Amino acid sequence: GNSVTQMEGPVTLSEEAFLTINCTYTATGYPSLFWYVQYPGEGLQLLLKATKADDKGSNKGFEATYRKETTSFHLEKGSVQVSDSAVYFCALTTSGGSYIPTFGRGTSLIVHP
Amino acid sequence: ETGVTQSPTHLIKTRGQQVTLRCSSQSGHNTVSWYQQALGQGPQFIFQYYREEENGRGNFPPRFSGLQFPNYSSELNVNALELDDSALYLCASSTESYEQYFGPGTRLTVT
């Protein structure tokens, strides 16, 4: 079956620090990969996605590259802001799963001024 | 364009009671999915409705049931509530493509 593993949080950084949140996956077939963000008290928002190997998804300064050889999709940002404090979820979908996302457990990011 | 909305925002129920949660999908979307998100966990898929028919179901007991209406809005019903049903319930709408748009969720507390 499909599964997503994320690094445990919380990740605590100072403003302008470099961010990496690790995500690895197992999947049958050829998955599409996603990062969602959940701000306090809100639902999930799609942050970025990649649909095939070596694709790079990017949005709002965040980036992630689909690495088939290492089954990874690590999230990075060069300079975080306090407003980036949220919970980040890595997810995947496969056509065999009717495109229902399988989510990781989430990684909490706390950015201090 | 109106996004996905859910009601109520918060709800407190007693063990054994029944609850109905509501979701209005984004304009133009014909598919609605429901998820349960326990504290500190990722969302777990409950079921999906496509054009008023159940189109997939996760590992949840039959006391979790749903409906989708002709305007593509949806309800999630939970009977015989248990303490472990306390969670954030998320609704997401989509078209036939795989990109889902999530609502803000309903926080259910069972005491």
Side-chain angles (χ1 to χ4, degrees), chain B residues 7-75:
Chain B
S7 62
T9 306
H10 296 89
L11 202 53
I12 300 175
K13 289 287 190 178
T14 303
R15 190 171 47 183
Q17 286 188 315
Q18 179 266 342
V19 69
T20 297
L21 310 182
R22 295 178 174 84
C23 171
S24 291
S25 58
Q26 187 162 315
S27 176
H29 288 183
N30 55 19
T31 303
V32 174
S33 304
W34 286 93
Y35 297 83
Q36 180 193 68
Q37 186 181 10
L39 199 61
Q41 303 291 320
Q44 298 294 313
F45 173 67
I46 303 174
F47 45 57
Q48 182 182 80
Y49 279 82
Y50 170 67
R51 294 186 175 182
E52 304 178 57
E53 298 287 331
E54 188 176 290
N55 188 43
R57 189 179 182 91
N59 189 27
F60 280 81
R63 59 190 185 84
F64 286 78
S65 63
L67 282 174
Q68 187 181 29
F69 300 100
N71 65 355
Y72 302 133
S73 65
S74 177
E75 287 183 353

XYZ file of all heavy atoms in Angstrom, chain B residues 7-75:
562
model
N -19.907 23.623 8.024
C -20.624 24.062 9.223
C -21.030 22.849 10.056
O -21.244 21.754 9.509
C -21.872 24.864 8.828
O -22.770 24.057 8.084
N -21.109 23.000 11.370
C -20.665 24.174 12.126
C -19.142 24.214 12.242
O -18.467 23.305 11.798
C -21.324 23.945 13.483
C -21.340 22.457 13.632
C -21.592 21.919 12.245
N -18.631 25.245 12.867
C -17.189 25.369 13.078
C -16.741 24.460 14.215
O -15.704 23.797 14.119
C -16.827 26.822 13.403
O -17.335 27.658 12.384
C -15.330 26.976 13.519
N -17.509 24.487 15.278
C -17.213 23.660 16.447
C -18.496 22.985 16.915
O -19.592 23.522 16.721
C -16.675 24.506 17.622
C -15.375 25.170 17.346
N -15.287 26.414 16.772
C -14.109 24.766 17.561
C -14.017 26.760 16.661
N -13.287 25.780 17.119
N -18.325 21.832 17.552
C -19.477 21.066 18.005
C -19.065 20.212 19.194
O -17.991 19.583 19.156
C -19.945 20.170 16.863
C -21.346 19.622 16.804
C -22.376 20.724 16.930
C -21.531 18.877 15.492
N -19.913 20.190 20.206
C -19.666 19.306 21.358
C -20.843 18.369 21.485
O -22.003 18.807 21.528
C -19.469 20.113 22.657
C -18.270 21.049 22.520
C -19.265 19.163 23.840
C -18.086 21.980 23.716
N -20.552 17.069 21.527
C -21.590 16.046 21.650
C -21.220 15.083 22.765
O -20.060 15.000 23.193
C -21.719 15.271 20.321
C -22.341 16.067 19.192
C -23.831 16.232 19.413
C -24.509 16.815 18.200
N -25.975 16.932 18.405
N -22.224 14.321 23.176
C -22.040 13.319 24.220
C -21.933 11.936 23.583
O -22.565 11.681 22.543
C -23.213 13.358 25.200
O -23.325 14.677 25.733
C -23.015 12.363 26.325
N -21.140 11.088 24.193
C -20.989 9.712 23.715
C -22.352 9.066 23.498
O -23.251 9.181 24.342
C -20.172 8.916 24.729
C -19.737 7.550 24.263
C -18.763 6.941 25.239
N -19.201 7.062 26.615
C -18.498 6.665 27.667
N -17.299 6.159 27.509
N -18.964 6.801 28.869
N -22.507 8.385 22.350
C -23.758 7.733 22.016
C -24.688 8.562 21.150
O -25.596 8.017 20.506
N -24.463 9.863 21.107
C -25.302 10.732 20.276
C -24.941 10.606 18.802
O -23.988 9.917 18.416
C -25.162 12.201 20.726
C -25.867 12.516 22.028
C -25.849 14.014 22.316
O -24.827 14.676 22.179
N -26.998 14.548 22.715
N -25.736 11.282 17.984
C -25.514 11.317 16.544
C -25.173 12.746 16.131
O -25.599 13.713 16.789
C -26.782 10.834 15.823
C -26.721 10.840 14.308
C -27.286 12.111 13.690
O -28.009 12.859 14.331
N -26.921 12.383 12.460
N -24.394 12.900 15.053
C -24.013 14.229 14.603
C -24.056 14.294 13.080
O -23.818 13.286 12.393
C -22.605 14.599 15.113
C -21.516 13.762 14.431
C -22.311 16.081 14.925
N -24.400 15.472 12.560
C -24.378 15.728 11.119
C -23.512 16.942 10.838
O -23.729 18.013 11.424
C -25.788 15.972 10.569
O -26.577 14.795 10.760
C -25.740 16.300 9.084
N -22.545 16.781 9.971
C -21.666 17.870 9.564
C -21.939 18.182 8.098
O -22.242 17.279 7.306
C -20.192 17.465 9.731
C -19.799 16.871 11.081
C -18.301 16.570 11.103
C -20.182 17.783 12.211
N -21.817 19.457 7.740
C -22.183 19.887 6.397
C -21.035 20.547 5.652
O -20.168 21.177 6.269
C -23.389 20.829 6.465
C -24.639 20.133 6.975
C -25.841 21.044 7.099
N -27.027 20.272 7.465
C -27.348 19.937 8.710
N -26.564 20.297 9.710
N -28.441 19.231 8.940
N -21.091 20.415 4.331
C -20.014 20.921 3.481
C -20.626 21.450 2.181
O -21.425 20.755 1.539
C -19.037 19.799 3.176
S -17.789 20.204 1.924
N -20.242 22.645 1.812
C -20.607 23.189 0.503
C -19.357 23.216 -0.365
O -18.354 23.813 0.025
C -21.167 24.603 0.650
O -22.407 24.566 1.293
N -19.436 22.553 -1.492
C -18.251 22.416 -2.333
C -17.997 23.690 -3.128
O -18.866 24.554 -3.257
C -18.402 21.226 -3.274
O -19.554 21.379 -4.076
N -16.789 23.791 -3.633
C -16.419 24.925 -4.462
C -17.206 24.871 -5.767
O -17.492 23.792 -6.295
C -14.915 24.886 -4.739
C -14.376 26.098 -5.458
C -12.881 26.223 -5.338
O -12.316 26.058 -4.266
N -12.223 26.505 -6.450
N -17.558 26.051 -6.271
C -18.340 26.146 -7.497
C -17.674 25.359 -8.629
O -16.473 25.475 -8.870
C -18.466 27.627 -7.889
O -19.139 27.759 -9.122
N -18.471 24.529 -9.310
C -17.961 23.760 -10.435
C -17.399 22.407 -10.072
O -17.052 21.623 -10.947
N -17.308 22.109 -8.761
C -16.753 20.819 -8.327
C -17.863 19.811 -8.100
O -18.857 20.111 -7.449
C -15.952 20.996 -7.037
C -14.655 21.709 -7.247
N -13.756 21.914 -6.216
C -14.104 22.260 -8.352
C -12.705 22.557 -6.694
N -12.894 22.779 -7.977
N -17.679 18.577 -8.616
C -18.716 17.556 -8.493
C -18.319 16.404 -7.572
O -19.054 15.431 -7.440
C -19.082 17.006 -9.871
C -17.868 16.487 -10.630
O -16.827 16.204 -10.032
N -18.005 16.370 -11.939
N -17.182 16.506 -6.949
C -16.673 15.435 -6.080
C -16.369 16.004 -4.708
O -15.750 17.068 -4.593
C -15.396 14.828 -6.688
O -15.674 14.353 -8.004
C -14.884 13.679 -5.827
N -16.811 15.294 -3.678
C -16.556 15.710 -2.301
C -15.939 14.548 -1.536
O -16.420 13.412 -1.625
C -17.859 16.149 -1.600
C -17.592 16.422 -0.131
C -18.438 17.387 -2.258
N -14.897 14.840 -0.803
C -14.238 13.840 0.045
C -14.255 14.322 1.482
O -14.135 15.524 1.733
C -12.791 13.619 -0.415
O -12.731 13.258 -1.777
N -14.360 13.387 2.403
C -14.340 13.692 3.836
C -13.138 13.020 4.485
O -12.793 11.865 4.152
C -15.620 13.199 4.509
C -16.836 14.030 4.212
C -17.754 13.845 3.216
C -17.290 15.169 4.959
N -18.730 14.798 3.292
C -18.477 15.627 4.358
C -16.807 15.849 6.090
C -19.197 16.728 4.829
C -17.520 16.931 6.567
C -18.699 17.373 5.942
N -12.540 13.747 5.438
C -11.371 13.247 6.145
C -11.543 13.488 7.642
O -12.155 14.479 8.058
C -10.097 13.977 5.697
C -9.746 13.775 4.254
C -10.344 14.541 3.263
C -8.813 12.812 3.877
C -10.025 14.362 1.926
C -8.482 12.626 2.540
C -9.100 13.407 1.579
O -8.779 13.220 0.251
N -10.954 12.606 8.434
C -10.883 12.789 9.881
C -9.427 13.080 10.239
O -8.531 12.324 9.848
C -11.339 11.522 10.603
C -11.302 11.633 12.121
C -11.445 10.282 12.799
O -10.565 9.437 12.709
N -12.566 10.078 13.469
N -9.200 14.161 10.963
C -7.848 14.504 11.385
C -7.794 14.548 12.904
O -8.260 15.500 13.526
C -7.415 15.845 10.793
C -5.954 16.180 11.101
C -5.511 17.522 10.547
O -6.315 18.323 10.074
N -4.210 17.763 10.588
N -7.241 13.510 13.501
C -7.052 13.487 14.947
C -5.909 14.420 15.302
O -5.055 14.735 14.465
C -6.762 12.065 15.406
N -5.883 14.840 16.547
C -4.874 15.790 17.005
C -3.471 15.248 16.774
O -3.169 14.112 17.151
C -5.093 16.080 18.491
C -4.445 17.344 19.030
C -4.990 18.570 18.321
C -4.666 17.452 20.536
N -2.631 16.023 16.086
C -1.262 15.616 15.845
C -1.075 14.601 14.743
O 0.029 14.054 14.580
N -2.121 14.336 13.989
C -2.054 13.342 12.912
C -2.394 13.981 11.571
O -2.955 15.076 11.508
C -3.041 12.209 13.177
C -2.844 11.501 14.498
C -1.576 10.700 14.532
O -1.217 10.057 13.546
N -0.871 10.752 15.658
N -2.080 13.241 10.496
C -2.511 13.669 9.183
C -3.957 13.268 8.939
O -4.507 12.417 9.636
N -4.594 13.873 7.956
C -5.983 13.514 7.637
C -6.094 12.056 7.165
O -5.253 11.576 6.418
C -6.334 14.471 6.501
C -5.369 15.610 6.625
C -4.111 14.995 7.141
N -7.143 11.399 7.647
C -7.445 10.034 7.232
C -8.714 10.051 6.388
O -9.737 10.597 6.808
C -7.653 9.137 8.457
C -6.412 9.019 9.335
C -5.276 8.307 8.657
O -5.462 7.245 8.051
N -4.083 8.876 8.719
N -8.661 9.419 5.226
C -9.772 9.399 4.291
C -10.946 8.603 4.840
O -10.781 7.439 5.238
C -9.294 8.817 2.967
C -10.363 8.586 1.947
C -11.029 9.649 1.370
C -10.690 7.299 1.553
C -12.002 9.435 0.413
C -11.660 7.071 0.598
C -12.318 8.136 0.034
N -12.153 9.215 4.845
C -13.363 8.521 5.291
C -14.109 7.976 4.086
O -14.319 6.768 3.973
C -14.283 9.461 6.104
C -13.540 10.036 7.303
C -15.539 8.707 6.554
C -14.335 11.081 8.081
N -14.572 8.857 3.193
C -15.202 8.440 1.946
C -15.266 9.594 0.979
O -14.983 10.745 1.322
C -16.599 7.836 2.150
C -17.501 8.582 3.091
C -17.834 9.917 2.896
C -18.037 7.927 4.192
C -18.658 10.578 3.767
C -18.873 8.592 5.073
C -19.182 9.916 4.870
N -15.643 9.255 -0.250
C -15.742 10.233 -1.313
C -17.075 10.044 -2.038
O -17.537 8.924 -2.240
C -14.603 10.062 -2.312
C -14.604 11.081 -3.455
C -13.482 10.834 -4.437
O -13.557 9.978 -5.314
N -12.409 11.603 -4.296
N -17.686 11.158 -2.443
C -18.901 11.130 -3.236
C -18.658 11.829 -4.571
O -18.067 12.912 -4.621
C -20.054 11.809 -2.500
C -20.688 10.897 -1.481
C -20.122 10.742 -0.222
C -21.813 10.153 -1.795
C -20.670 9.888 0.693
C -22.383 9.287 -0.874
C -21.798 9.155 0.371
O -22.338 8.305 1.281
N -19.151 11.178 -5.627
C -19.046 11.722 -6.976
C -20.443 11.676 -7.582
O -21.025 10.596 -7.720
C -18.066 10.912 -7.809
C -18.054 11.241 -9.280
C -17.607 12.482 -9.722
C -18.494 10.318 -10.232
C -17.602 12.793 -11.069
C -18.485 10.632 -11.582
C -18.042 11.866 -12.003
O -18.025 12.174 -13.337
N -20.963 12.833 -7.899
C -22.300 12.928 -8.505
C -23.319 12.107 -7.727
O -24.045 11.284 -8.306
C -22.241 12.520 -9.971
C -21.416 13.493 -10.800
C -21.459 13.200 -12.280
N -20.741 14.235 -13.032
C -20.634 14.265 -14.359
N -21.205 13.331 -15.090
N -19.961 15.221 -14.949
N -23.340 12.310 -6.424
C -24.319 11.763 -5.484
C -24.144 10.285 -5.162
O -24.960 9.721 -4.415
C -25.754 12.024 -5.976
C -26.056 13.493 -6.233
C -27.469 13.716 -6.757
O -28.425 13.308 -6.065
O -27.613 14.294 -7.854
N -23.109 9.653 -5.688
C -22.850 8.246 -5.384
C -21.539 8.103 -4.616
O -20.559 8.802 -4.915
C -22.762 7.426 -6.673
C -24.031 7.395 -7.510
C -25.100 6.540 -6.878
O -24.760 5.572 -6.157
O -26.293 6.836 -7.092
N -21.502 7.174 -3.640
C -20.251 6.917 -2.936
C -19.252 6.309 -3.911
O -19.539 5.327 -4.593
C -20.481 5.975 -1.744
C -19.236 5.845 -0.876
C -19.478 4.991 0.359
O -20.205 5.430 1.269
O -18.917 3.880 0.413
N -18.050 6.884 -3.907
C -17.057 6.558 -4.921
C -15.770 6.016 -4.310
O -14.750 5.956 -4.970
C -16.746 7.821 -5.730
C -15.869 7.562 -6.918
O -16.059 6.583 -7.632
N -14.865 8.405 -7.127
N -15.818 5.616 -3.076
C -14.632 5.109 -2.401
C -14.795 5.321 -0.920
O -15.439 6.282 -0.483
N -14.205 4.417 -0.141
C -14.369 4.478 1.298
C -13.088 4.033 1.970
O -12.457 3.069 1.530
C -15.530 3.582 1.741
C -15.910 3.752 3.188
C -17.093 2.865 3.572
N -17.462 3.090 4.960
C -18.360 3.980 5.371
N -19.020 4.696 4.478
N -18.633 4.126 6.642
N -12.722 4.719 3.015
C -11.561 4.339 3.809
C -11.951 3.351 4.886
O -13.057 2.805 4.900
N -11.055 3.141 5.828
C -11.238 2.136 6.855
C -12.027 2.703 8.046
O -11.502 2.823 9.154
C -9.870 1.613 7.301
C -9.982 0.419 8.199
O -10.960 -0.327 8.129
N -8.999 0.242 9.058
N -13.272 3.049 7.813
C -14.147 3.574 8.852
C -15.400 2.710 8.945
O -15.876 2.200 7.929
C -14.525 5.033 8.545
C -13.448 6.012 8.920
C -12.371 6.228 8.085
C -13.507 6.704 10.116
C -11.359 7.108 8.429
C -12.505 7.596 10.473
C -11.436 7.797 9.629
N -15.950 2.537 10.168
C -17.118 1.658 10.333
C -18.364 2.251 9.690
O -18.414 3.455 9.387
C -17.255 1.580 11.856
C -16.609 2.817 12.373
C -15.482 3.114 11.429
N -19.396 1.427 9.521
C -20.630 1.873 8.849
C -21.362 2.983 9.583
O -22.205 3.656 8.976
C -21.485 0.591 8.815
C -20.512 -0.521 8.909
C -19.398 -0.021 9.770
N -21.046 3.211 10.866
C -21.748 4.293 11.558
C -21.311 5.674 11.025
O -21.926 6.680 11.353
C -21.534 4.193 13.071
C -20.122 4.241 13.514
C -20.000 3.889 15.015
N -18.627 4.054 15.452
C -18.128 5.239 15.820
N -18.891 6.301 15.848
N -16.863 5.329 16.201
N -20.282 5.681 10.185
C -19.925 6.874 9.431
C -20.610 6.768 8.064
O -20.324 5.830 7.290
C -18.410 6.984 9.225
C -17.646 7.390 10.448
C -17.374 6.469 11.443
C -17.184 8.691 10.600
C -16.674 6.845 12.592
C -16.471 9.069 11.728
C -16.215 8.144 12.719
N -21.522 7.681 7.792
C -22.230 7.632 6.517
C -22.317 9.036 5.942
O -22.079 10.033 6.637
C -23.630 7.054 6.689
O -24.409 7.878 7.531
N -22.687 9.100 4.664
C -22.712 10.402 4.025
C -23.773 10.506 2.957
O -24.453 9.533 2.601
N -23.903 11.735 2.474
C -24.813 12.044 1.377
C -24.184 13.137 0.538
O -23.458 13.992 1.068
C -26.144 12.567 1.912
C -27.181 11.605 2.469
C -28.325 12.397 3.069
C -27.665 10.641 1.416
N -24.509 13.113 -0.746
C -24.197 14.256 -1.586
C -25.485 14.658 -2.292
O -26.243 13.808 -2.773
C -23.106 13.934 -2.608
C -22.640 15.175 -3.377
C -21.566 14.873 -4.414
O -21.521 13.781 -4.961
N -20.707 15.840 -4.681
N -25.729 15.939 -2.377
C -26.978 16.458 -2.918
C -26.787 16.915 -4.364
O -25.659 17.062 -4.838
C -27.470 17.605 -2.029
C -27.723 17.175 -0.618
C -26.799 17.418 0.380
C -28.887 16.488 -0.281
C -27.017 16.996 1.693
C -29.117 16.070 1.017
C -28.181 16.314 2.000
N -27.894 17.147 -5.079
C -27.776 17.544 -6.495
C -26.929 18.791 -6.714
O -26.358 18.959 -7.800
C -29.232 17.758 -6.915
C -30.022 16.851 -6.028
C -29.305 16.884 -4.705
N -26.858 19.670 -5.725
C -26.007 20.857 -5.889
C -24.562 20.576 -5.469
O -23.753 21.487 -5.367
C -26.558 22.033 -5.089
C -26.513 21.785 -3.583
O -26.148 20.696 -3.126
N -26.878 22.799 -2.813
N -24.264 19.282 -5.226
C -22.936 18.784 -4.869
C -22.505 19.128 -3.456
O -21.372 18.778 -3.075
C -21.873 19.203 -5.883
C -22.190 18.741 -7.286
C -22.087 19.588 -8.373
C -22.619 17.434 -7.510
C -22.389 19.163 -9.657
C -22.926 16.994 -8.794
C -22.809 17.869 -9.871
O -23.117 17.434 -11.130
N -23.360 19.747 -2.654
C -23.032 19.873 -1.242
C -23.134 18.490 -0.595
O -23.657 17.542 -1.207
C -23.974 20.860 -0.552
O -25.299 20.368 -0.566
N -22.660 18.372 0.627
C -22.556 17.032 1.217
C -22.759 17.082 2.722
O -22.590 18.129 3.362
C -21.163 16.458 0.903
O -20.972 15.191 1.495
N -23.143 15.948 3.271
C -23.249 15.755 4.717
C -22.433 14.546 5.128
O -22.341 13.558 4.394
C -24.700 15.507 5.130
C -25.595 16.701 5.073
C -26.998 16.379 5.571
O -27.306 15.200 5.833
O -27.788 17.330 5.691
